[in-house]
Amino acid sequence: MSIGGSSSGGQQLGLSPEEVKRCMRRVLESFSLPANQARLREARDKAGNDMVKSMQLVFPLAIKIQQETLAQLGVPADYEGTIKFTQLVRKFEKEDEELAELATRFKTIFMPPLSSYTKPNNNSSTASSDSVPTQSHS
C-alpha cells in the first residue's frame, strides 16, 4: 500500500479506516520482529522501572520503529507524518472496535500499564480489589 504524494508530512494522508487498520497491523507486526524486540528490550532494560527514563529511551525508539514501518507504507517518515497518522487512528478508533483494540495494543508498547511502575499497596487488608472508594459528605 502506498499513500502517494510528496514526502512532506504537511500533506493530508487521506487514508480510509481500512487503510489505517492495515497500517496499524503492520506497525504492530514490526514490533514483533526479533531485531525490534531486541532494540526495545535494551531500551527497557536501561530504563528499568524509572518512568522518566522510559519516556527518554523507550518512547523515542518506539516512535522511530513506527516511523520506519509507516515510511514503508508511504506515510511520510517524519514527526508530522506520524502525528497525522496518529490523529487518523484516534478519529477512526471511535467508530471501529477493531481499530480501537489495535490502538490500545500499540499504546501498551509506548507505556506499559502503570502497575508495572508502582508497587502494590498492601496496607489495606479490608479493601476489595473490586471495590470503588467512596467519599463521605458529612
Side-chain angles (χ1 to χ4, degrees), residues 62-80:
I63 291 278
K64 182 175 172 65
I65 292 169
Q66 179 189 26
Q67 286 176 326
E68 292 167 355
T69 305
L70 290 175
Q72 295 170 5
L73 301 171
V75 175
D78 57 13
Y79 283 106
E80 193 171 344

Side-chain angles (χ1 to χ4, degrees), residues 82-110:
T82 303
I83 288 169
K84 287 186 180 297
F85 178 76
T86 302
Q87 289 170 338
L88 281 177
V89 170
R90 293 194 67 179
K91 174 184 173 184
F92 294 141
E93 74 180 341
K94 295 173 186 171
E95 305 158 6
D96 189 304
E97 191 174 313
E98 181 185 358
L99 184 56
E101 201 291 38
L102 292 170
T104 298
R105 285 178 42 206
F106 180 70
K107 290 171 192 170
T108 63
I109 293 168
F110 282 88

Side-chain angles (χ1 to χ4, degrees), residues 33 104 134:
L33 296 174
T104 298
T134 58

Side-chain angles (χ1 to χ4, degrees), residues 19-91:
E19 290 171 319
V20 171
K21 278 197 283 193
R22 281 195 296 269
C23 287
M24 280 300 295
R25 285 187 204 106
R26 290 280 300 274
V27 167
L28 288 168
E29 288 169 8
S30 72
F31 283 96
S32 298
L33 296 174
N36 289 336
Q37 285 183 341
R39 292 164 68 189
L40 282 167
R41 187 172 32 258
E42 181 180 345
R44 287 187 179 121
D45 288 347
K46 287 180 181 177
N49 285 335
D50 186 326
M51 186 179 268
V52 173
K53 285 186 180 177
S54 184
M55 294 294 288
Q56 293 170 333
L57 300 171
V58 178
F59 186 79
L61 177 58
I63 291 278
K64 182 175 172 65
I65 292 169
Q66 179 189 26
Q67 286 176 326
E68 292 167 355
T69 305
L70 290 175
Q72 295 170 5
L73 301 171
V75 175
D78 57 13
Y79 283 106
E80 193 171 344
T82 303
I83 288 169
K84 287 186 180 297
F85 178 76
T86 302
Q87 289 170 338
L88 281 177
V89 170
R90 293 194 67 179
K91 174 184 173 184

